[in-house]
Amino acid sequence: MHAAMWYAPRDIRWEQRPDPTIQLPTDAIVRVVAACVCGSDLWTFRGARPPADPHPIGHEFVGVVEETGAGVTTLRAGDFVISPFSISDGTCVPCRQGVTTSCVQAQWYGGTDRDGRTLDGGQGQYVRVPLADGTLVATPEHPDRARIPALLALSDVLVTGHHAAVSAGVGPGSTVAVVGDGAVGLCAVRAAVRLGADRVIAFSSYTDRQNVATGFGASDVISARGDDGAAALRDLLADQGADAVLECVGNKESMAQAMASVRPGGRIGYVGVPLGGAELPIRKMFADNIAVAGGVAPVRPYLPELLADVLGGTLDASAVFDLQLPMEKVAEAYAAMDERRSIKTLLWP
């Protein structure tokens, strides 16, 4: 098979790799039907979180089960499946409590399994999926090609935006502000609308992203950032902060903007991968009773509910995929997102 490999900052290669095989009874082999590049992949691409050695990359994909190990009971060859970006057993205490990203057997695509074997990345033609029963979710039938982007968004980006909204307590009547206009932030807009928010304000200075935000239901768009953006929000809300702020970037500036945008007694849901410097201002949180919750989105427990809406035609975040390329052009997919020529790039094998 062929798959994407990271070699060095800004050096992604499409190259031949060994075909995956069943290694453990709980494995499944999945033929990838569609994959994409994640914003968090860009940090590796840029060298902000460089691995020690060349390794497979990518963690968002959907596909068809080709083979299963003898211990797999909920899947069979031919099933169309969605893979969350993290691998989990589905049976340990954290999994039963809905925090599958903290599974006691948690594994990550492109990393290593529990026995030190290299795991395939999602940006390739085939993937060995450990703990398949606890990880993969099969759809009732094979989707047509037009529906696949909406299903692919469930592997990470849409569910991560949903996790931000849930963590911030978004519900009917809420006023919500979203910090970050990448694919996760845009999906957080859609998630907040779905949960019944009365007003959703998106921060974005790029016309293409503003258009997606309004298409997803944002009632207002503020182009300013940082303190200026927070001031504009308060002007819009008669000097009140938002009930809920969804922080979808993960740096010092984005968290500061979130803190400056939330009302006393409000909540911040954060899902941006933290890169340091975004330490929380505990005194302000204490003084204003601001709650902060979130973290790595546990995609697997959310999937049944969100998948039903996607299949029912009421939930579709495929508009974030504004560029589609053949998978062998994966290096261009990274460059396009790195240079902000694409919000999120979908890859077809």
Side-chain angles (χ1 to χ4, degrees):
M1 73 163 186
H2 281 74
M5 289 286 291
W6 180 95
Y7 272 83
R10 291 182 165 78
D11 184 3
I12 300 290
R13 305 178 193 178
W14 178 251
E15 65 180 32
Q16 192 164 8
R17 298 280 297 159
D19 290 342
T21 60
I22 298 293
Q23 299 290 319
L24 297 167
T26 52
D27 289 349
I29 305 299
V30 175
R31 173 175 56 84
V32 176
V33 171
C36 55
V37 178
C38 180
S40 63
D41 290 332
L42 290 180
W43 297 119
T44 302
F45 175 71
R46 294 164 179 161
R49 296 186 302 169
D53 301 297
H55 76 115
I57 194 166
H59 54 258
E60 296 174 89
F61 66 94
V62 295
V64 175
V65 175
E66 295 284 295
E67 183 182 1
T68 61
V72 176
T73 61
T74 63
L75 303 163
R76 61 185 179 182
D79 283 346
F80 186 92
V81 292
I82 302 163
S83 178
F85 63 83
S86 66
I87 296 163
S88 54
D89 62 24
T91 61
C92 69
V93 172
C95 284
R96 296 199 307 270
Q97 293 173 336
V99 194
T100 50
T101 47
S102 296
C103 173
V104 298
Q105 297 192 70
Q107 298 164 54
W108 308 90
Y109 294 112
T112 57
D113 69 11
R114 305 292 287 186
D115 299 313
R117 305 180 189 91
T118 298
L119 290 170
D120 301 303
Q123 294 159 10
Q125 294 175 314
Y126 292 89
V127 177
R128 178 176 74 90
V129 180
L131 304 174
D133 280 332
T135 301
L136 300 173
V137 174
T139 60
E141 57 188 25
H142 278 234
D144 58 31
R145 185 179 174 93
R147 181 64 62 84
I148 287 173
L151 293 170
L152 178 60
L154 290 172
S155 65
D156 183 346
V157 63
L158 175 57
V159 189
T160 296
H162 176 72
H163 184 55
V166 170
S167 298
V170 174
S174 299
T175 296
V176 181
V178 180
V179 178
D181 63 356
V184 170
L186 296 171
C187 286
V189 170
R190 182 66 187 88
V193 172
R194 177 182 175 275
L195 290 172
D198 184 59
R199 191 173 190 178
V200 180
I201 302 155
F203 290 102
S204 177
S205 55
Y206 293 88
T207 301
D208 58 341
R209 297 163 190 250
Q210 292 174 352
N211 291 339
V212 174
T214 55
F216 280 175
S219 51
D220 306 271
V221 175
I222 294 174
S223 59
R225 294 184 177 184
D227 290 340
D228 291 341
L233 175 82
R234 291 182 175 275
D235 286 344
L236 194 63
L237 299 180
D239 205 30
Q240 298 296 311
D243 300 321
V245 178
L246 314 185
E247 192 283 307
C248 302
V249 182
N251 62 28
K252 179 179 180 180
E253 292 76 18
S254 61
M255 184 58 79
Q257 184 174 339
M259 281 288 170
S261 299
V262 69
R263 67 166 174 81
R267 295 176 63 92
I268 294 173
Y270 75 103
V271 292
V273 178
L275 293 175
E279 289 76 13
L280 296 174
I282 297 298
R283 286 187 179 276
K284 175 177 174 57
M285 293 166 59
F286 181 81
D288 286 344
N289 282 274
I290 295 170
V292 177
V296 187
V299 170
R300 182 61 180 80
Y302 287 129
L303 273 181
E305 172 190 354
L306 298 180
L307 175 60
D309 281 4
V310 170
L311 294 177
T314 62
L315 180 61
D316 186 346
S318 59
V320 297
F321 297 114
D322 59 341
L323 178 63
Q324 299 187 21
L325 294 173
M327 198 173 286
E328 61 263 28
K329 301 291 186 183
V330 63
E332 167 57 17
Y334 275 85
M337 287 179 61
D338 183 47
E339 297 163 10
R340 286 188 172 266
R341 292 184 282 112
S342 170
I343 300 170
K344 191 171 182 70
T345 305
L346 187 150
L347 298 165
W348 298 102

